[in-house]
Amino acid sequence: MVPFAGYSMPLSYGDVGQVASHNHVRTDAGLFDVGHMVQSNFRGPTATQFLEWLTPSSLSSLKPYSSTLSVILNEKGGIIDDTIVTKHAEDAFYVVTNAGRRDRDLAWFTEKLEQWNSTEHAKNGPVEMEVLENWGLIALQGPRAASYLQALTSFDLQKLTFGTSAFVPLEGFNLHVARGGYTGEDGFEISIPPSETVEVAKILSKYPVQLTGLGARDSLRLEAGMCLYGNDLDEDTTPVEAGLSWVIGKERKESGEFIGAEGVREHLKNGPPRRRVGFIIEGAPARQGAKIFSGTEQIGTITSGIPSPTLNKNIAMGYVRNGFHKKGTELEVEVRNRRRQAVVTSMPFVKPNYWRG
C-alpha cells in the first residue's frame, strides 16, 4: 500500500510483480479498485448548459447513456482536471473526477453552481450536485473482461459499446456499468453503492481475474497514451497544448461560451507554444522532469516515462516547443546526467482494443 492522492492505495497485490500484473491485463483481465475517484451526479433543467459552461465539450449532442472524456478549465483555459462525463438525460449527468483534485474540483463546482443558480438560468429550477460519497468504483479491464462479466449477467454486453453505459443486473445487484477504462484494453468501470462494493469486488475478482495495483495502472495508461493529472496535465496547460483538442466540440471551437474559451481559441488559431508528444528513448528510461534538448538548447520536459512491458522499449511523454513535435523528430533527453536519443513517436504506443461493436 502507498499514499496516493490523499488515500492509501494498492501498488501491487501479493507477490505478483508490476510487469506480470501489466501483462495479465494485456492478455487476460485485471480488476482495479479506483474507488478513490470522485463520482458526482448533476441534475436540473439546465444541467446540459451548465456543464457546457464548465467544459468545452458538446454535451447537448451526446446521446443518453453515452460518455466523453472532457476537461474542466480555469479562466485562462488551463486544465483544472480531466473528467469523464456521462449523459443519462438532458437534465442528468454522472461525472467522474480525479481524487487528487477533489478539493479544487468540488470548490469550483460549488462556486460555479452558485453563480449559475443565481441567474435566469435557474428560472425553471436549479442545477444540483450530489457527490456519491464512499461509493465504490471498480474497473474490469482486459481482452477477456467481457466474457467474464457476461457470465454474471443476462444483459447482452455486445450492445454496450465503447463510451456507452447502462444499468446492468449483476448477480442480484443493479449497477451502473460504463464500457471504457484507462488501459487501452476493452473493459468496464462499475459504480457500486457503499454497502455492496466489497461483495461485488469479490464476485468479480475470482480466478483468473487478477487484482491489479497502481504500478501496472500507470504503465498500462502510458502505453495507451493517456494523461495522468499532475504529471501530464495542470492548470498552466491548455487542452490544445495537451493534444486534447478533440474533446472540444466542433461548433464550440468557433462560438462556444465556456469558461477559458479565449485562451483555448488563441491556441487553436495561432498554434500553442508547446505540445504534448510521445517518445521512444534509447538506453535508460526517462522519468518525470527529465530535460529534452535539441542540440544545446532545452526545448521541453518529460512528464511521464517507463520501460514499456509490452514493447520492451523505453517510452515517455512530455512537452516540446511547437515545431519540434513532428513524428520522427530526433531529440535528446538527459537521463542520469547523460544525453539519450529520443525520437518523437505517435501515441498511443500500443494499439487500443476497445469494443466498438
Side-chain angles (χ1 to χ4, degrees), residues 240-273:
V240 186
E241 292 175 305
L244 297 174
S245 298
W246 62 271
V247 310
I248 307 167
K250 206 168 171 184
E251 72 289 355
R252 309 205 72 214
K253 286 178 177 167
E254 309 294 319
S255 58
E257 301 261 328
F258 55 89
I259 296 165
E262 207 179 318
V264 168
R265 283 205 187 103
E266 158 67 22
H267 281 183
L268 283 169
K269 191 173 153 215
N270 301 320

Side-chain angles (χ1 to χ4, degrees), residues 22-350:
H22 173 112
N23 292 337
H24 193 76
V25 174
R26 287 269 179 260
T27 55
D28 201 314
L31 191 73
F32 300 80
D33 174 7
V34 287
H36 60 303
M37 296 184 82
V38 184
Q39 304 176 69
S40 305
N41 287 320
F42 288 85
R43 293 198 186 95
T46 55
T48 300
Q49 293 81 353
F50 172 70
L51 289 170
E52 283 194 333
W53 179 49
L54 253 60
T55 76
S57 297
S58 292
L59 303 176
S60 42
S61 58
L62 205 59
K63 292 190 176 96
Y65 286 87
S66 295
S67 310
T68 180
L69 176 72
S70 192
V71 283
I72 299 152
L73 301 177
N74 63 26
E75 308 290 358
K76 302 195 311 278
I79 300 171
I80 293 174
D81 203 359
D82 58 328
T83 175
I84 299 281
V85 178
T86 302
K87 180 185 197 170
H88 287 158
E90 286 295 320
D91 59 356
F93 287 80
Y94 164 70
V95 175
V96 179
T97 51
N98 285 302
R101 302 296 285 164
R102 182 189 173 99
D103 293 350
R104 172 74 169 114
D105 290 346
L106 293 184
W108 181 259
F109 289 149
T110 303
E111 179 195 324
K112 297 299 162 195
L113 279 166
E114 275 174 25
Q115 280 181 31
W116 185 265
N117 289 332
S118 65
T119 65
E120 79 281 4
H121 293 301
K123 67 176 184 286
N124 294 324
V127 176
E128 292 171 324
M129 171 177 70
E130 173 197 18
V131 181
L132 299 174
E133 295 291 10
N134 299 315
W135 276 55
L137 189 63
I138 55 179
L140 181 65
Q141 300 280 301
R144 301 183 71 180
S147 64
Y148 297 145
L149 192 60
Q150 189 64 79
L152 302 170
T153 181
S154 57
F155 186 100
D156 181 5
L157 295 174
Q158 296 257 341
K159 294 183 178 141
L160 197 67
T161 51
F162 176 75
T164 66
S165 60
F167 282 92
V168 172
L170 202 77
E171 299 278 275
F173 301 100
N174 191 42
L175 305 172
H176 186 267
V177 175
R179 196 151 200 167
Y182 196 47
T183 62
E185 295 299 328
D186 184 21
F188 306 88
E189 293 191 329
I190 303 165
S191 176
I192 317 168
S195 62
E196 302 170 1
T197 304
V198 172
E199 210 177 326
V200 173
K202 280 179 177 167
I203 292 166
L204 287 171
S205 59
K206 295 202 168 99
Y207 178 84
V209 175
Q210 273 183 8
L211 287 163
T212 313
L214 282 182
R217 186 167 163 81
D218 193 51
S219 54
L220 289 159
R221 69 91 193 169
L222 188 45
E223 288 185 347
M226 294 175 178
C227 297
L228 175 64
Y229 196 94
N231 280 46
D232 315 302
L233 304 173
D234 58 36
E235 292 218 30
D236 296 318
T237 303
T238 71
V240 186
E241 292 175 305
L244 297 174
S245 298
W246 62 271
V247 310
I248 307 167
K250 206 168 171 184
E251 72 289 355
R252 309 205 72 214
K253 286 178 177 167
E254 309 294 319
S255 58
E257 301 261 328
F258 55 89
I259 296 165
E262 207 179 318
V264 168
R265 283 205 187 103
E266 158 67 22
H267 281 183
L268 283 169
K269 191 173 153 215
N270 301 320
R274 57 196 187 115
R275 292 180 187 264
R276 179 174 68 96
V277 293
F279 293 99
I280 302 252
I281 296 167
E282 293 294 313
R287 305 292 185 183
Q288 184 183 21
K291 294 172 181 167
I292 303 165
F293 291 90
S294 174
T296 55
E297 191 184 11
Q298 186 187 344
I299 52 129
T301 309
I302 296 291
T303 53
S304 290
I306 49 151
S308 159
T310 306
L311 301 176
N312 289 317
K313 292 175 180 173
N314 298 316
I315 61 172
M317 65 170 79
Y319 285 82
V320 294
R321 195 184 308 152
N322 201 357
F324 291 94
H325 62 283
K326 306 271 190 311
K327 186 179 157 186
T329 303
E330 294 187 9
L331 299 168
E332 290 182 311
V333 175
E334 193 171 275
V335 184
R336 299 182 203 141
N337 299 321
R338 272 186 59 193
R339 297 279 184 91
R340 313 268 177 185
Q341 193 190 4
V343 179
V344 175
T345 310
S346 55
M347 295 185 286
F349 298 100
V350 172

